[in-house]
Amino acid sequence: MKKIICFCLAAAMFSGCIIGCSSKKKKNDPNNGTTESSTSPETTTIADNSGKPFIGKWESYKATVLGETYETTYAGFPLSAVAQLEVSEDGTAVVDISLNPRGKARSYNYSWEVTEDDELWLKSPDDGYFCRMEQGQMIMRYADDDGTEIFLMPVSEFTNNETPTEAGLDNDDYKDFMGKWESFEVRSDGVTYTDKLGEYPVDVAFRLELFDDNTSTMAVIGDPMSYEWAPEKKGQMYMWGDFEGFSVKLENGILTVDDEANLRVKFKKVDKFRDFDFSSVADQMPEENIILDPEDEEVTTTE
């Protein structure tokens, strides 16, 4: 599970077409990608009841992020969408987050141990979290302890945050969606681009591949990100990742991916993606954010 503070970064990346914190990919930049703490605490073997207080279902009801406390909603979404944690007696745990407009959950699997400080340590190859008990509630923090805290209460059943979808649809209805797609038009913050997005040709700015196993990969300026998708209604699916979601429509051979806020991308189907050396363009770019603050690029339409 990526950090919830990345939600703001993810939203900015898509609405403003920013990759990470800058449109230029810097070599050996520790901020490129997500890196969590790798320090392992002292742990105890689960041969007693030390983990018993943590067993069960837990749902977030409050969060403190960057010094601000959220008690009703976070980034416009219900607090229950931030984290739904189920800790099992077999030493495994699952965290679901559903911070997207349709409330689609994404699941992350962990193993757990109890530390010498009587904290639950959730761990995976990618990240880790410490959970402590205080007055019947669980408080989760990231392994690198950036100050973020997620407060969870025990529940018998998780809140269903998902928006209902049209009945009677299955994957066979989306065969024409499957395959490789290249962007030919990008609309961001009211401006439409059909030639270049910063220094990058529009047709390489966004690349999408949809698979029939309900997964997809979208690369933004050469940076691939994984998503899941599900039928939503006839001629439309919903695609979601860690902290964003998109309606995906297919009409007259044109695939439109829309975050329903600030970004809409139109794609055409291709047999193979165009060869393009992203690193050569990045090396020529200045440090300032060209994609966020483009200069001298063709703006085809404004509304």
Side-chain angles (χ1 to χ4, degrees):
M1 184 178 76
K2 291 184 181 179
K3 294 186 177 183
I4 59 174
I5 61 170
C6 293
F7 179 86
C8 299
L9 299 179
M13 179 177 69
F14 286 107
S15 64
C17 301
I18 311 167
I19 303 306
C21 297
S22 171
S23 63
K24 179 179 180 182
K25 295 182 182 179
K26 302 178 180 64
K27 297 179 181 178
N28 302 320
D29 186 345
N31 293 320
N32 286 338
T34 56
T35 304
E36 303 286 351
S37 171
S38 59
T39 303
S40 299
E42 293 295 325
T43 59
T44 57
T45 302
I46 312 303
D48 51 27
N49 291 323
S50 58
K52 187 174 181 179
F54 300 96
I55 302 299
K57 295 179 179 179
W58 300 83
E59 186 171 275
S60 54
Y61 71 94
K62 183 171 70 171
T64 298
V65 184
L66 297 176
E68 184 171 353
T69 298
Y70 300 85
E71 297 185 278
T72 54
T73 61
Y74 177 74
F77 301 110
L79 260 301
S80 57
V82 171
Q84 293 178 333
L85 166 65
E86 184 165 8
V87 182
S88 301
E89 293 181 355
D90 63 0
T92 64
V94 178
V95 176
D96 285 349
I97 60 171
S98 50
L99 291 170
N100 59 75
R102 301 293 193 277
K104 297 285 189 180
R106 199 162 198 190
S107 299
Y108 300 85
N109 297 313
Y110 297 89
S111 60
W112 63 264
E113 298 178 29
V114 177
T115 71
E116 290 184 342
D117 295 325
D118 295 324
E119 290 189 317
L120 187 75
W121 179 33
L122 302 177
K123 57 180 182 176
S124 78
D126 299 317
D127 53 25
Y129 304 87
F130 293 113
C131 306
R132 68 182 188 273
M133 300 294 296
E134 286 188 7
Q135 299 179 338
Q137 66 180 345
M138 185 188 296
I139 303 176
M140 177 189 295
R141 73 182 192 278
Y142 299 110
D144 60 6
D145 197 6
D146 64 356
T148 297
E149 289 189 325
I150 304 171
F151 298 79
L152 306 97
M153 66 175 70
V155 295
S156 56
E157 297 295 335
F158 292 129
T159 300
N160 182 6
N161 294 304
E162 187 171 343
T163 302
T165 58
E166 187 175 303
L169 297 173
D170 58 39
N171 286 12
D172 287 339
D173 298 309
Y174 296 87
K175 289 181 179 179
D176 292 339
F177 286 70
M178 301 303 107
K180 295 180 173 66
W181 301 84
E182 284 184 342
S183 57
F184 68 88
E185 178 183 297
V186 177
R187 182 169 180 79
S188 176
D189 289 331
V191 181
T192 301
Y193 305 91
T194 59
D195 182 18
K196 285 190 173 184
L197 197 62
E199 296 297 319
Y200 297 93
V202 163
D203 63 345
V204 304
F206 289 82
R207 290 172 168 175
L208 173 64
E209 188 164 9
L210 289 156
F211 306 99
D212 57 12
D213 64 353
N214 294 91
T215 65
S216 61
T217 300
M218 185 161 67
V220 187
I221 315 297
D223 231 1
M225 290 162 282
S226 62
Y227 295 87
E228 299 175 52
W229 67 265
E232 185 166 44
K233 57 185 178 181
K234 186 176 181 180
Q236 180 174 323
M237 64 169 63
Y238 194 72
M239 184 175 76
W240 71 97
D242 292 299
F243 304 109
E244 64 277 335
F246 307 89
S247 68
V248 183
K249 300 178 183 179
L250 180 59
E251 295 179 325
N252 301 319
I254 295 174
L255 192 77
T256 302
V257 175
D258 194 337
D259 74 350
E260 302 174 323
N262 299 306
L263 179 71
R264 185 187 66 208
V265 183
K266 292 185 178 181
F267 293 83
K268 60 182 178 181
K269 202 166 196 177
V270 296
D271 293 327
K272 61 177 293 187
F273 293 125
R274 169 186 166 187
D275 291 331
F276 188 81
D277 186 356
F278 290 94
S279 62
S280 65
V281 175
D283 288 342
Q284 299 170 17
M285 292 174 65
E287 295 297 323
E288 59 268 17
N289 198 322
I290 289 294
I291 294 178
L292 182 60
D293 301 305
E295 295 180 3
D296 300 326
E297 57 183 358
E298 179 184 352
V299 178
T300 58
T301 62
T302 57
E303 295 179 7

